[in-house]
């Protein structure tokens, strides 16, 4: 049965039109994939279908076909027409003009499930089971019924071994599966998934894809999924849309649309070699120990020695749990090592980073920038504000704008784009543009060294090329040193001068990325090479 109609929909932010005359239909139990490079309008469309504030259509209509209880107002899929509701009322099929019927839309929104990229939306201090039970309670399930459903959901997303773990302590893939279970607990009429595995390594992404099949597709829930990875669309959807510049370029059978899209994919751009300078960082026999109730003393970093040169792009690679995140925090001065020597050069002076205080670690930390995987921009402030006042950059207005424009050009925007983008808001930018703004936010503080944590997580191949160019350009123009923490070996091969492979807290090998690839295990290749 027909579930959703999108009729002649367009969307403008100011004068910028991000969606143009979008038309499609979705039947109950059908899966629609939406392909397109960063900035095509994929996320804006899903936000509109979810009813998020500020995403109402400028033109056109979003029509949901649902069944509604005549007694309590409960909303369900249209095939429930004529069936009894648990309150004793009867479901009747109706059509809802989603953005112009507030009374029914309020209840309908509760039954629209969504998974957003880079956003886990969990109660961080509560356990997995508590997070799922909270969602079930909001959906009206209590007692034994709620417990039975929760256990069934936990099995479906394969998290039986994490039931009592606190949400904030889970890995990215595990968090995403808890989000999936929470959303399914709503008994949704439609499931919206916006790049649900974009920040995950290929191995973990497969687990989430299997969970989507088990929880959404097998239960005949209509789903719209966006991705810049064509194989995800081919694997999960019946039909597909290829968005380009806010318009539908192709619409039809998913395999046919994916094949046409794949013809446009370009390989990584090759870059000229840049001559690096003297040593910037020296680590000798660095250790970091933690005490765990379950495992006793754990060496997250175990006797690491390495050096990084000024203007070098250095990769820190390894599978999940190898110790690269802990080591990167030690390099950034966020964590002190338990043992070993760490020297950081400022000008001609070497700083002992194992010592706290304003003359040692505190002095050097202001020259080390970090861009985390879960970066944030102030959504209701302009890009200019995000690049200046929000980070405490104290400059007169004209100088602040000039510096912001210069920094944006150093990460790959043209001068015209940089001038225009400063007065926009984050929601008007694509994911790739926001990522480059976040990188500019770090660069504008004039650090000597920048650590990037999984910089290519949610990026399509086009945007990955842009970010690679941004890193190379700022390295050359601003004489930056980069440390890239990543499991994306393809990106490391393209961008980094050298890399260190970590296993079980130790550096197994340090050298050119091509040399690292040759010694990867099958498990490492599965997690680190290619989608």
């Amino acid at each position: 049965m027909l579930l959703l109609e999108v009729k002649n929909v367009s969307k403008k932010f100011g004068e910028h039109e991000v969606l143009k005359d979008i038309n499609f239909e979705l039947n109950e139990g059908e899966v629609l994939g939406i392909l397109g490079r960063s900035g095509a309008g994929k996320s804006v469309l899903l936000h509109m279908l979810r009813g998020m504030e500020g995403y109402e259509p400028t033109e056109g209509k979003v029509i949901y076909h649902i069944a509604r209880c005549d007694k309590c107002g409960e909303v369900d899929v249209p095939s429930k027409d004529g069936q009894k509701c648990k309150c004793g009322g009867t479901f009747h099929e109706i059509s809802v003009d989603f953005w112009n019927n507030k009374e029914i839309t309020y209840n309908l929104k509760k039954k629209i499930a969504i998974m957003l990229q880079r956003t886990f939306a969990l109660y961080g201090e509560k356990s997995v089971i508590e997070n799922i039970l909270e969602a079930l309670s909001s959906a009206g399930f209590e007692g034994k019924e709620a417990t039975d459903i929760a256990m069934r959901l936990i099995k479906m997303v394969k998290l039986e071994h994490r039931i009592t773990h606190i949400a904030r302590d889970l890995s990215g893939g595990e968090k995403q599966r808890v989000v999936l279970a929470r959303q399914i607990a709503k008994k949704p009429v439609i499931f919206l998934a916006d790049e649900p595995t974009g920040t995950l390594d290929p191995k973990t992404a497969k687990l989430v894809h299997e969970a989507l099949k088990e929880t959404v597709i097998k239960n005949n829930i209509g789903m719209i999924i966006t991705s810049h990875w064509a194989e995800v669309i081919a694997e999960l959807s019946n039909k597909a849309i290829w968005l380009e510049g806010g318009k539908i370029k192709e619409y039809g059978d998913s395999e046919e649309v994916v094949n046409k899209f794949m013809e446009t994919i370009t390989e990584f751009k090759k870059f000229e070699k840049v001559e690096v300078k003297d040593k910037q960082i020296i680590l000798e026999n660095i250790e970091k120990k933690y005490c765990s109730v379950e495992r006793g003393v754990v060496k997250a970093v175990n006797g690491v020695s390495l050096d990084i040169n000024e203007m070098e792009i250095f990769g820190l690679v390894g599978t999940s749990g190898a110790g690269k995140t802990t080591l990167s925090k030690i390099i950034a001065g966020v964590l002190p090592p338990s043992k070993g020597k760490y020297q950081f050069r400022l000008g001609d002076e070497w700083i002992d980073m194992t010592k706290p205080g304003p003359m040692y670690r505190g002095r050097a930390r202001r020259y080390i920038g970090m861009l985390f995987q879960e970066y944030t921009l102030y959504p209701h402030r302009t890009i200019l504000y995000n690049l200046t006042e929000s980070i405490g950059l104290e400059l007169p207005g004209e100088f602040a704008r000039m510096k912001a424009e210069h920094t944006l050009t150093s990460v790959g925007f043209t001068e015209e784009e940089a001038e225009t983008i400063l007065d926009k808001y984050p929601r008007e930018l694509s994911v790739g543009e926001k990522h480059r703004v976040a990188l500019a936010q770090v660069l504008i503080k004039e650090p000597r060294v920048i650590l990037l944590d999984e910089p290519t997580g949610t990026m399509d191949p086009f945007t990955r090329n842009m970010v690679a160019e941004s890193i190379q350009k700022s390295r050359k123009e601003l004489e930056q040193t980069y440390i890239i923490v990543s499991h994306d070996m393809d990106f490391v091969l393209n961008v980094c001068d050298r890399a260190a492979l970590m296993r079980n807290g130790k550096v197994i090998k340090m050298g050119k990325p091509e040399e690292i690839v040759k010694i990867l295990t099958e498990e490492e290749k599965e997690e680190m090479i290619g989608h």
Side-chain angles (χ1 to χ4, degrees), residues 163-189:
I163 290 177
T164 60
H165 280 226
I166 303 301
R168 62 176 163 76
D169 295 336
L170 301 175
S171 69
E174 289 166 344
K175 286 177 183 175
Q176 199 68 298
R177 282 181 278 161
V178 178
V179 171
L180 175 55
R182 278 176 54 83
Q183 293 299 315
I184 294 299
K186 294 179 175 183
K187 291 190 69 181
V189 298

Side-chain angles (χ1 to χ4, degrees), residues 10 22 25 72 139 202 205 247 283 308 317 380 382 390 472 498:
S10 296
I22 304 296
E25 295 180 352
C72 70
K247 296 178 180 178
L283 304 181
I308 299 169
V317 301
H380 303 299
T382 64
S390 74
Q472 292 283 356
R498 289 189 303 151

Side-chain angles (χ1 to χ4, degrees), residues 1-3 26-30 77-80 189 220-222:
M1 296 184 72
L2 185 60
L3 175 66
L26 183 76
N27 293 319
E28 188 179 330
E30 195 172 37
V77 289
S79 59
K80 290 276 187 177
V189 298
N220 209 36
I221 298 170

Side-chain angles (χ1 to χ4, degrees), residues 345-402:
R345 184 168 58 81
L346 272 181
D348 295 325
E349 187 179 349
W350 286 95
I351 306 296
D352 186 347
M353 295 290 283
T354 63
K355 294 181 180 179
M359 296 306 295
Y360 296 99
R361 192 161 61 240
R363 179 182 169 196
R365 270 189 64 179
R366 63 175 296 228
Y367 294 102
I368 304 172
M370 282 195 83
L371 179 57
F372 294 102
Q373 192 175 351
E374 299 298 319
Y375 65 83
T376 54
L377 299 173
Y378 288 97
H380 303 299
R381 298 286 192 166
T382 64
I383 300 305
L384 177 60
Y385 181 92
N386 272 280
L387 288 177
T388 52
E389 293 178 63
S390 74
I391 56 172
L393 189 68
E394 296 179 2
L395 284 172
E398 305 82 17
F399 290 106
R401 192 174 184 94
M402 180 183 72

Side-chain angles (χ1 to χ4, degrees), residues 230-267:
E231 56 269 42
V232 174
I233 298 300
E235 179 186 357
L236 298 179
S237 64
N238 314 107
K239 58 184 182 180
I241 287 172
W242 172 6
L243 276 184
E244 189 166 291
K247 296 178 180 178
I248 293 178
K249 187 177 177 69
E250 295 285 345
Y251 178 31
D253 176 75
S254 60
E255 191 174 338
E256 291 179 11
V257 174
V258 163
N259 288 338
K260 288 179 180 177
F261 178 78
M262 288 299 288
E263 291 172 6
T264 69
I265 300 297
T266 55
E267 293 183 358

Side-chain angles (χ1 to χ4, degrees), residues 88-129:
T90 304
F91 283 106
H92 296 288
E93 187 183 355
I94 59 170
S95 297
V96 181
D97 185 348
F98 188 55
W99 282 94
N100 294 298
N101 191 328
K102 291 184 180 178
E103 180 189 352
I104 298 175
T105 294
Y106 177 77
N107 282 341
L108 176 54
K109 279 184 183 180
K110 293 179 183 178
K111 303 300 286 286
I112 299 175
I114 190 164
M115 285 173 72
L116 297 172
Q117 56 182 315
R118 294 187 179 268
T119 306
F120 295 119
L122 297 173
Y123 295 101
E125 299 302 319
K126 294 191 175 185
S127 66
V128 169
I129 187 68

